[in-house]
Amino acid sequence: DARVTQTPRHKVTEMGQEVTMRCQPILGHNTVFWYRQTMMQGLELLAYFRNRAPLDDSGMPKDRFSAEMPDATLATLKIQPSEPRDSAVYFCASGFIGTDGYTFGSGTRLTVV
Amino acid sequence: KQEVTQIPAALSVPEGENLVLNCSFTDSAIYNLQWFRQDPGKGLTSLLLIQSSQREQTSGRLNASLDKSSGRSTLYIAASQPGDSATYLCAVRPGDFNKFYFGSGTKLNVKP
């Protein structure tokens, strides 16, 4: 089965450090989402792209978060500088506009100490 | 803004029971609705996808229904098993394709 690949699976970093999370969407999918999941807030949409163009990043703290799609096979989410409140699981999902649903990756569990 | 509510937040049942999980949404102008399963520490696994024109979808022991006009969907699990224990999330995709709105989930525990 085709799947969305996220790396790293786990990341522990010190406050103030830069963190980069990567996502390889399913080949052919033209829409990519970044979500963050915490116990308190549940699943929050951070950003999404269609055909590599950012369509909505209103869910991201702009001063420290950035999301890009340098090419169709890679989406990145960066946090600089990281803070303890950024500790969460970050999910990437991809899909194709039409009738299909979305496929989620296994997530990156980020811990900022 | 679309709001998605799932009731109950948690459910504990003995093995073998049939059970129903509920999902309600405030804006009926949806494109489709998707049910996911999430195991502890894992990602989301898609279970069923219902298009706005459909009334239900079935996969094995799972059946999901959609009543768009009343803003409701139910996930029916027949003959529950301990392996069904997980958190079940519903997600609504609006007609403008912009976002996927998630409910907060129902945490299911099936006791042997």
Side-chain angles (χ1 to χ4, degrees):
Chain A
D1 285 342
R3 57 180 183 167
V4 175
T5 303
Q6 288 188 247
T7 56
R9 290 295 310 275
H10 302 274
K11 176 72 176 179
V12 180
T13 190
E14 292 185 347
M15 183 173 62
Q17 296 298 304
E18 176 177 302
V19 176
T20 299
M21 291 169 271
R22 293 177 174 80
C23 167
Q24 182 178 355
I26 292 174
L27 190 64
H29 281 183
N30 68 349
T31 304
V32 174
F33 293 84
W34 281 105
Y35 281 89
R36 174 170 64 183
Q37 187 177 40
T38 61
M39 288 292 293
M40 294 298 295
Q41 300 295 329
L43 275 158
E44 303 174 276
L45 177 66
L46 297 176
Y48 80 100
F49 295 79
R50 185 172 304 154
N51 297 322
R52 295 176 54 203
L55 289 191
D56 187 349
D57 60 3
S58 58
M60 288 198 315
K62 300 287 194 310
D63 57 338
R64 299 185 300 108
F65 284 59
S66 62
E68 296 179 342
M69 279 200 75
D71 60 61
T73 65
L74 178 64
T76 63
L77 180 66
K78 289 186 181 180
I79 308 175
Q80 168 66 317
S82 57
E83 297 180 1
R85 60 179 167 153
D86 301 328
S87 297
V89 181
Y90 291 80
F91 288 105
C92 173
S94 74
F96 189 82
I97 290 296
T99 60
D100 295 333
Y102 287 87
T103 302
F104 278 72
S106 299
T108 293
R109 182 175 294 276
L110 174 65
T111 302
V112 183
V113 298
Chain B
K1 178 189 170 184
Q2 178 75 269
E3 291 185 3
V4 182
T5 304
Q6 289 187 246
I7 294 173
L11 183 62
S12 183
V13 299
E15 181 177 6
E17 275 202 7
N18 301 324
L19 54 98
V20 174
L21 308 181
N22 296 293
C23 172
S24 61
F25 45 95
T26 54
D27 187 345
S28 62
I30 66 170
Y31 188 75
N32 59 35
L33 182 147
Q34 196 165 1
W35 281 93
F36 292 89
R37 167 184 174 141
Q38 186 175 29
D39 293 284
K42 304 290 185 182
L44 280 71
T45 301
S46 178
L47 297 173
L48 290 164
L49 171 69
I50 311 178
Q51 303 298 336
S52 62
S53 59
Q54 297 176 321
R55 298 285 289 187
E56 64 180 298
Q57 282 286 335
T58 298
S59 176
R61 295 182 294 108
L62 306 180
N63 176 278
S65 67
L66 174 65
D67 184 343
K68 207 172 67 164
S69 60
S70 67
R72 293 180 186 175
S73 176
T74 61
L75 179 66
Y76 175 82
I77 303 176
S80 58
Q81 303 171 357
D84 295 330
S85 298
T87 296
Y88 291 80
L89 298 123
C90 72
V92 169
R93 190 167 148 197
D96 61 0
F97 309 130
N98 277 350
K99 293 183 178 182
F100 229 166
Y101 292 92
F102 278 88
S104 53
T106 293
K107 187 173 182 179
L108 173 65
N109 178 37
V110 181
K111 298 173 288 187

